């Protein structure tokens, strides 16, 4: 990567929604001018209105707008931007785009293209980690050639096994296999899904770790050879291999394991000459053993909980590192302060197979209060588009202890006001009453069919009554005269009492 030695004066944010808003706010706080890009669907989005400049780049489908790398480069030139921040998703892990940004004389706010390539392929990254002495889940470091090869390897390592897309992520092209009879079909399905999702049908095989936790370590590296870790996050509560709740630090990890895992994450980053913010992901076994899973060469959705427990603004850190500044703190100066939890608020119906529920937001109001943070990409009167991920916002809370954070999270969830669409808020409130979660006794298989049924029974309000209840809550809040309404208690108190 070309070393940058001057401050970034104007940054183009090559993304949308809540992460674009987050990056714009971080850049503005540094005195940096900001440039937004938007599709037809996002013309009135909050991030577009906040940016200093905004440019239309195409129709609503991301393939015709946010993934059009030449359009992004054209806007950078037209606007006079000196840097491009990719956020996460879309072009954030596109090594070819990163190289084109650098070749255009712009600052790429991310790791070197070589590091993106090294970690972009799951098989190649595993080989890098093996070479660096990092423990990896037993499996292959090259794509499978045939079903016969997969059957032979599965037999040698023992079932269950996982088939995974070599170029994948987010659960796409992934299949869990428990016996040889099921493997041929799973192999073909994994290859087909991988090809459709990533344009690459290669899959590899690895041993399925029983009841693992998904624990990841945040790393930050400058251009001068310094790499630090900002401790770990537990991201084990997932649906379809996608995270829904994250917390930091991991509530069950032993002190010695924490230190060893963090040191290995730093070792992994150094092995690929990493720069900027990245995440090294591990599977943590019940016996305390852990294995490298993958490295995400970008900012993560769950980065706010790390910011909450460390006090480090990761977006500003990315910008400062990209400008060539050395890290302004040492590993010894970093400490864990309290506990943070994040919920991803989606326009989805969890108890109907996570059915998406996009549409207009007739009314939207976020919770607030001490140690409550909301990263949102929507506003009241806006819309959750059918064209993109149905995330409404991320709710992040901090507490001096895990119990304090859980209590604050519960009250914050109850303070949301959302009309017009279904959301995952009732689901999260049910989780916060679950004894397994309260005792931190969970793993990546937590959200089983049986658990989802149990959680549905814990709903404070039957899910079919939720839209009507929220509508009535907003009616009572806005109607006049207030004294004639049945209750004068705040919405956050009384709206949960109906059955």
């Amino acid at each position: 990567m070309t070393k940058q030695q001057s401050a970034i004066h104007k940054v183009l944010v090559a993304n949308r929604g809540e992460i674009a808003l987050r990056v714009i706010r971080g850049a503005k706080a540094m005195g940096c001018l900001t440039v937004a890009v938007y599709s037809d669907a996002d013309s009135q989005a909050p991030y577009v209105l906040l940016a200093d400049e905004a440019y239309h780049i195409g129709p609503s489908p991301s393939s015709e707008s946010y993934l059009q790398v030449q359009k992004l480069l054209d806007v950078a030139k037209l606007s006079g931007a000196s840097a491009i921040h990719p956020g996460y998703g879309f072009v954030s892990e596109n090594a070819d785009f990163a190289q084109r940004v650098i070749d255009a004389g712009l600052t790429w706010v991310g790791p070197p293209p070589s590091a993106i390539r090294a970690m972009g392929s799951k098989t190649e990254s595993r080989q890098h980690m093996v070479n660096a002495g990092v423990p990896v889940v037993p499996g292959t470091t090259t794509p499978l050639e045939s079903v016969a090869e997969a059957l032979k390897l599965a037999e040698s390592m023992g079932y269950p096994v996982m088939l995974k897309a070599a170029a994948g992520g987010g659960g796409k092209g992934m299949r869990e296999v428990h016996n040889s009879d099921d493997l041929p079909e799973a192999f073909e399905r994994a290859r087909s899904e991988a090809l459709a999702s990533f344009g690459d049908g290669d899959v590899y095989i690895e041993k399925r770790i029983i009841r693992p936790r998904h624990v990841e370590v945040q790393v930050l590296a400058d251009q001068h050879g310094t790499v630090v870790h900002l401790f770990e996050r537990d991201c084990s509560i997932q649906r379809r291999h996608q995270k829904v709740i994250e917390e930091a630090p991991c509530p069950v990890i032993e002190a010695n394991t924490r230190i060893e895992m963090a040191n290995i994450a730093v070792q992994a980053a150094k092995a690929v000459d990493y720069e900027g913010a990245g995440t090294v992901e591990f599977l943590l076994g019940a016996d305390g053993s852990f294995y490298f899973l993958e490295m995400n060469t970008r900012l993560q959705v769950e980065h706010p909980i790390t910011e909450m427990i460390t006090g480090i603004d990761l977006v500003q850190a990315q910008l400062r590192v990209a400008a060539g500044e050395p890290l302004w703190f040492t590993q010894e100066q970093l400490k864990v302060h309290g506990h943070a939890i994040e919920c991803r608020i989606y326009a989805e119906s969890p108890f109907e197979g996570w059915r998406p529920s996009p549409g207009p937001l007739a009314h939207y109001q976020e919770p607030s209060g001490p140690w409550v943070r909301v990263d949102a990409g929507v506003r009241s009167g806006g819309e959750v588009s059918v064209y993109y991920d149905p995330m409404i916002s991320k709710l992040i809370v901090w507490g001096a202890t895990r119990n304090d954070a859980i209590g604050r999270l519960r009250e914050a969830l109850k303070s949301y006001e959302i009309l017009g669409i279904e959301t995952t808020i009732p689901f999260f409130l049910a989780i916060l009453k679950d004894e397994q979660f309260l005792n931190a006794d969970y793993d990546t298989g937590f959200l089983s069919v049986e658990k989802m049924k149990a959680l549905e029974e814990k709903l404070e309000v039957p899910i079919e009554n939720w839209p009507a209840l929220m509508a009535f809550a907003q009616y009572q809040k806005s109607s006049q005269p207030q004294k004639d309404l049945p209750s004068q208690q705040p919405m956050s108190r009384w709206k949960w009492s109906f059955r």
Side-chain angles (χ1 to χ4, degrees), residues 171-458:
K172 302 295 185 182
M174 185 182 296
R175 290 292 185 277
E176 181 174 343
V177 186
H178 290 265
N179 56 66
S180 58
D181 291 339
D182 295 338
L183 195 145
E185 181 180 358
F187 178 79
E188 294 303 327
R189 286 181 176 272
R191 290 186 60 176
S192 176
E193 189 172 296
L195 184 62
S197 299
F198 311 111
D200 183 342
D202 285 346
V203 298
Y204 67 100
I205 190 170
E206 67 180 25
K207 175 67 178 172
R208 174 74 162 95
I209 306 300
I210 304 300
R211 294 204 63 201
R213 295 179 86 101
H214 185 137
V215 179
E216 60 189 28
V217 177
Q218 178 73 58
V219 295
L220 187 62
D222 63 22
Q223 296 181 9
H224 309 280
T226 301
V227 184
V228 299
H229 69 82
L230 285 81
F231 310 102
E232 82 286 345
R233 302 183 286 252
D234 193 319
C235 308
S236 302
I237 298 184
Q238 307 174 1
R239 58 104 165 99
R240 298 173 182 169
H241 303 289
Q242 294 181 322
K243 306 160 189 173
V244 293
I245 298 180
E246 302 96 355
E247 53 183 312
C250 174
V252 300
I253 196 169
E254 296 288 340
N256 290 339
T257 304
R258 166 178 284 125
I259 294 170
E260 185 181 1
M261 182 182 289
N263 288 339
I264 285 179
V266 170
Q267 182 180 334
K270 288 181 176 180
V272 293
D273 297 321
Y274 201 80
E275 295 171 11
T279 304
V280 183
E281 305 197 352
F282 298 93
L283 290 180
L284 175 65
D287 61 355
S289 61
F290 62 89
Y291 307 90
F292 171 82
L293 185 62
E294 63 181 343
M295 184 175 187
N296 287 291
T297 53
R298 53 173 168 78
L299 202 64
Q300 291 280 88
V301 177
E302 58 273 19
H303 76 273
I305 54 176
T306 293
E307 295 180 325
M308 288 288 227
I309 66 168
T310 63
I312 301 297
D313 185 317
L314 288 171
V315 169
Q316 292 192 9
Q318 287 183 296
L319 292 169
R320 293 174 67 169
V321 164
E325 295 184 31
L327 292 181
W328 60 100
F329 51 84
T330 66
Q331 186 68 69
E332 291 69 31
Q333 291 174 314
L334 291 168
K335 306 293 180 185
V336 172
H337 300 281
H339 199 90
I341 308 176
E342 174 180 299
C343 285
R344 302 187 186 190
I345 311 299
Y346 279 95
E348 290 180 333
S349 180
F351 302 107
E352 294 182 20
W354 301 93
R355 174 180 54 80
S357 175
L361 284 164
H363 173 73
Y364 174 78
Q365 183 169 308
E366 301 166 350
S368 61
W371 308 114
V372 173
R373 167 178 166 179
V374 179
D375 284 11
V378 301
R379 60 188 175 89
S380 194
E383 184 172 358
V384 178
S385 175
V386 298
Y387 293 101
Y388 315 113
D389 183 85
M391 181 185 287
I392 300 169
S393 63
K394 300 183 310 195
L395 173 62
I396 309 102
V397 302
W398 179 91
T401 67
R402 184 172 188 264
N403 285 340
D404 290 342
I406 289 173
R408 183 165 284 133
L409 180 61
R410 182 182 295 112
E411 291 308 306
L413 284 165
K414 289 182 177 182
S415 296
Y416 264 104
E417 298 175 19
I418 301 176
L419 288 177
I421 57 176
E422 296 178 65
T423 76
T424 51
I425 292 174
F427 162 76
F428 288 125
L429 284 167
I431 282 185
L432 296 185
K433 295 168 66 176
D434 185 82
E435 287 299 319
Q436 272 188 280
F437 176 79
L438 295 175
N439 294 327
D441 178 23
Y442 58 80
D443 55 63
T444 57
F446 178 74
L447 294 180
S448 63
V449 173
E450 294 74 18
K451 177 61 71 174
M452 291 298 290
K453 290 179 180 178
L455 291 174
E456 188 169 14
E457 293 175 359
K458 295 178 186 291

Side-chain angles (χ1 to χ4, degrees), residues 60-251:
S60 299
S62 57
S63 61
E64 301 177 48
S65 50
Y66 299 106
L67 293 174
Q68 289 290 316
V69 297
Q70 187 57 54
K71 289 183 179 180
L72 298 173
L73 292 168
D74 290 344
V75 170
K77 181 178 180 180
L78 181 64
S79 65
S82 58
I84 293 182
H85 191 304
Y88 49 70
F90 293 142
V91 296
S92 63
E93 293 179 286
N94 184 326
D96 292 337
F97 176 64
Q99 188 62 59
R100 290 183 65 180
V101 170
I102 295 167
D103 291 344
L106 304 173
T107 297
W108 168 251
V109 185
S114 58
I116 297 175
R117 289 191 180 95
M119 290 302 185
S121 166
K122 301 304 183 287
T123 51
E124 185 178 346
S125 66
R126 282 168 59 85
Q127 187 60 60
H128 274 285
M129 294 303 100
V130 168
N131 295 342
V134 173
V136 301
V137 177
T140 57
T141 55
T142 56
L144 294 167
E145 296 291 337
S146 64
V147 172
E149 182 186 12
L151 285 166
K152 183 178 179 180
L153 289 166
E155 191 67 30
S156 66
M157 66 180 65
Y159 291 94
V161 297
M162 296 293 293
L163 296 173
K164 293 185 175 182
K172 302 295 185 182
M174 185 182 296
R175 290 292 185 277
E176 181 174 343
V177 186
H178 290 265
N179 56 66
S180 58
D181 291 339
D182 295 338
L183 195 145
E185 181 180 358
F187 178 79
E188 294 303 327
R189 286 181 176 272
R191 290 186 60 176
S192 176
E193 189 172 296
L195 184 62
S197 299
F198 311 111
D200 183 342
D202 285 346
V203 298
Y204 67 100
I205 190 170
E206 67 180 25
K207 175 67 178 172
R208 174 74 162 95
I209 306 300
I210 304 300
R211 294 204 63 201
R213 295 179 86 101
H214 185 137
V215 179
E216 60 189 28
V217 177
Q218 178 73 58
V219 295
L220 187 62
D222 63 22
Q223 296 181 9
H224 309 280
T226 301
V227 184
V228 299
H229 69 82
L230 285 81
F231 310 102
E232 82 286 345
R233 302 183 286 252
D234 193 319
C235 308
S236 302
I237 298 184
Q238 307 174 1
R239 58 104 165 99
R240 298 173 182 169
H241 303 289
Q242 294 181 322
K243 306 160 189 173
V244 293
I245 298 180
E246 302 96 355
E247 53 183 312
C250 174

